[in-house]
Amino acid sequence: MRHARGFDDLKSNLADLRRRDMYRVRHKLEGPQGREVTLEGRAFLNFSSNDYLGLADDPRVAEAFKHGIDRWGTGTGASHLISGHTAAHAELEEALAAFTGRPKALLYGSGYAANVGVINALLSVGDFVFQDRLNHASLLDGGWISRATFSWFAHRDSADLEAKLAAVEHEPTRKLIVSDGTFSMDGDTCRLDELLAASARHRAWAMIDDAHGIGVHGPGGVGLVDPERYTTSDVPILVGTLGKAFGTAGAFVAGEDALIETLIQRSRNYIFTTAMPSPLAVATRRSLEIAVAEDWRREHLVTLIDRFQAGTRDLGFDLLPSTSPIQPLVVGDPARALGLSRALKERGLLIGAIRPPTVPQGTSRLRVTLTAAHRVADVDRLLDALSLLAACRSRGFAS
């Protein structure tokens, strides 16, 4: 009977989301992304961005974008396979392939498009896909859309993965293990060596989406899948995004020639969409150069992460074991997460309240993200605010 009213229940569904503190509202920023952002005519210290290296408003990247516009204009006019593929795209793909130590790379318009497009191009009915339970929505959607037999494995649980692989040991079709590198809501990393050992034992391919690790982890920011340690035989499919640590937009897939050419022929998310603007590719090449060269950004992030973790130990918050710039403070109840977010906003700090279905029920949280643009004093200001709110709560006062 749920659909008897057609679409008449839209308003009541929205009202229900509000009642359960699940309603989502967009912020309208009035200036560029950065350490501080302007909202409602007021400056806020921004702890809710994925701009991990602080490059989204770097003047060198902006200048490269302007030069790209002068050279290429603002739009590409068509898909890559029609007339939208330019030398700027090809140069960025070559740079990303070299950076990741893979023979080839392929650009996509977004990480979501890349993940759905890759899985759907490689798997179909009769194949098998195994996904970490906390994988990003784009990876999960790719698995479901592919029509392959879909299996969860418990978060970072190699034994559970092994058991599920063993159950289809004798099936002759394709088997794909899919995992985030760094998990976007918990900030922890996959157990890559164990996952790859399982893939080798069961003749499965591994696909790692290192969206939140590229630029941040590894020597020169190569990410979790360090090419000095892991070949394309170990990790045949590597996905990275450009809109996080590199501060621009888009995504890429890196791997062997046969993989990339297969995606060009079969990936609907690549074939049937307009190519990203060429100036964006020019700007991303510049941000990639900066990210590789400026190790101080990653070193500074480590300092900030250590300081934040040390400062929150005694405040009564449930801090997840993350060594990444993603530092979630789990509070459980959606209403409390919203209340804390609003209280921090009143104090000039912008931190998003993350609630189901983005995270599992009972794990609503403040998703604190640190960037290389932050200062130690900024972290101390956040800790002072959290300390005050924790003290108010312990005395029974409202936040």
Side-chain angles (χ1 to χ4, degrees):
M1 295 297 294
R2 179 175 179 272
H3 300 290
R5 295 168 295 167
F7 298 101
D8 294 342
D9 59 352
L10 292 183
K11 289 184 179 178
S12 63
N13 288 343
L14 291 172
D16 182 62
L17 288 174
R18 289 189 180 94
R19 181 184 58 79
R20 295 186 291 112
D21 295 304
M22 297 295 195
Y23 196 79
R24 303 175 192 226
V25 178
R26 298 179 296 174
H27 293 301
K28 185 171 68 174
L29 301 186
E30 297 157 3
Q33 188 65 229
R35 168 183 165 266
E36 285 190 336
V37 292
T38 304
L39 180 67
E40 301 163 358
R42 180 183 172 192
F44 290 87
L45 196 54
N46 183 16
F47 285 103
S48 58
S49 170
N50 294 329
D51 179 29
Y52 301 127
L53 296 184
L55 293 175
D57 193 35
D58 189 288
R60 296 167 293 180
V61 179
E63 190 64 26
F65 208 128
K66 293 172 187 175
H67 284 310
I69 291 174
D70 291 341
R71 170 70 176 85
W72 297 103
T74 56
T76 51
S79 68
H80 284 276
L81 288 175
I82 303 299
S83 61
H85 189 68
T86 68
H89 297 125
E91 289 165 3
L92 177 57
E93 288 178 341
E94 290 169 5
L96 290 167
F99 171 66
T100 58
R102 265 64 189 152
K104 274 194 173 182
L106 187 69
L107 292 173
Y108 279 80
S110 70
Y112 205 108
N115 285 333
V116 171
V118 169
I119 299 173
N120 200 29
L122 295 178
L123 300 182
S124 189
V125 176
D127 297 325
F128 297 86
V129 59
F130 305 87
Q131 299 227 16
D132 188 291
R133 183 163 286 278
L134 294 188
N135 273 352
H136 189 266
S138 58
L139 296 171
L140 303 179
D141 287 356
W144 289 323
I145 290 170
S146 73
R147 298 177 296 161
T149 300
F150 186 107
S151 295
W152 307 96
F153 60 91
H155 181 48
R156 303 175 73 229
D157 189 333
S158 302
D160 190 36
L161 172 61
E162 284 272 6
K164 288 177 168 55
L165 286 164
V168 296
E169 178 71 31
H170 301 296
E171 296 289 345
T173 51
R174 292 176 177 175
K175 304 175 184 71
L176 181 66
I177 303 167
V178 182
S179 178
D180 277 305
T182 297
F183 290 87
S184 61
M185 290 298 126
D186 283 20
D188 53 354
T189 59
C190 74
R191 293 191 169 100
L192 185 58
D193 289 337
E194 295 177 16
L195 186 150
L196 297 183
S199 72
R201 277 192 290 272
H202 296 276
R203 299 198 310 174
W205 267 24
M207 173 178 173
I208 302 298
D209 177 11
D210 207 18
H212 296 269
I214 291 278
V216 174
H217 300 304
V222 294
L224 190 67
V225 185
D226 183 348
E228 293 295 318
R229 294 187 59 194
Y230 305 106
T231 68
T232 53
S233 295
D234 302 314
V235 181
I237 310 169
L238 174 62
V239 180
T241 53
L242 309 174
K244 298 178 175 64
F246 296 138
T248 57
F252 68 93
V253 180
E256 292 288 346
D257 289 8
L259 169 69
I260 301 306
E261 289 302 321
T262 297
L263 296 178
I264 291 171
Q265 305 303 317
R266 292 183 54 84
S267 178
R268 297 170 67 85
N269 297 48
Y270 179 82
I271 297 167
F272 298 108
T273 192
T274 300
M276 71 161 61
S278 297
L280 185 59
V282 175
T284 304
R285 276 193 66 204
R286 184 69 181 112
S287 67
L288 174 60
E289 293 170 356
I290 296 168
V292 171
E294 297 186 354
D295 276 327
W296 69 262
R297 295 177 182 271
R298 284 172 286 277
E299 293 164 2
H300 183 54
L301 270 176
V302 171
T303 299
L304 298 177
I305 293 165
D306 289 346
R307 193 173 189 93
F308 179 77
Q309 290 183 336
T312 52
R313 278 193 195 108
D314 301 322
L315 294 181
F317 288 98
D318 184 6
L319 186 66
L320 295 179
S322 164
T323 58
S324 79
I326 303 163
Q327 294 292 310
L329 298 176
V330 177
V331 298
D333 180 62
R336 188 183 175 209
L338 277 176
L340 286 169
S341 178
R342 289 169 183 152
L344 289 166
K345 187 179 177 185
E346 289 172 4
R347 290 160 174 81
L349 303 163
L350 190 64
I351 302 174
I354 309 298
R355 295 152 289 160
T358 305
V359 293
Q361 292 287 343
T363 70
S364 291
R365 65 196 63 186
L366 296 179
R367 183 180 182 268
V368 177
T369 51
L370 304 169
T371 79
H374 284 126
R375 304 164 186 169
V376 170
D378 298 335
V379 174
D380 290 343
R381 179 179 161 190
L382 172 57
L383 290 170
D384 287 344
L386 289 170
S387 178
L388 178 62
L389 294 175
C392 288
R393 183 173 177 81
S394 69
R395 294 196 297 269
F397 301 146
S399 298

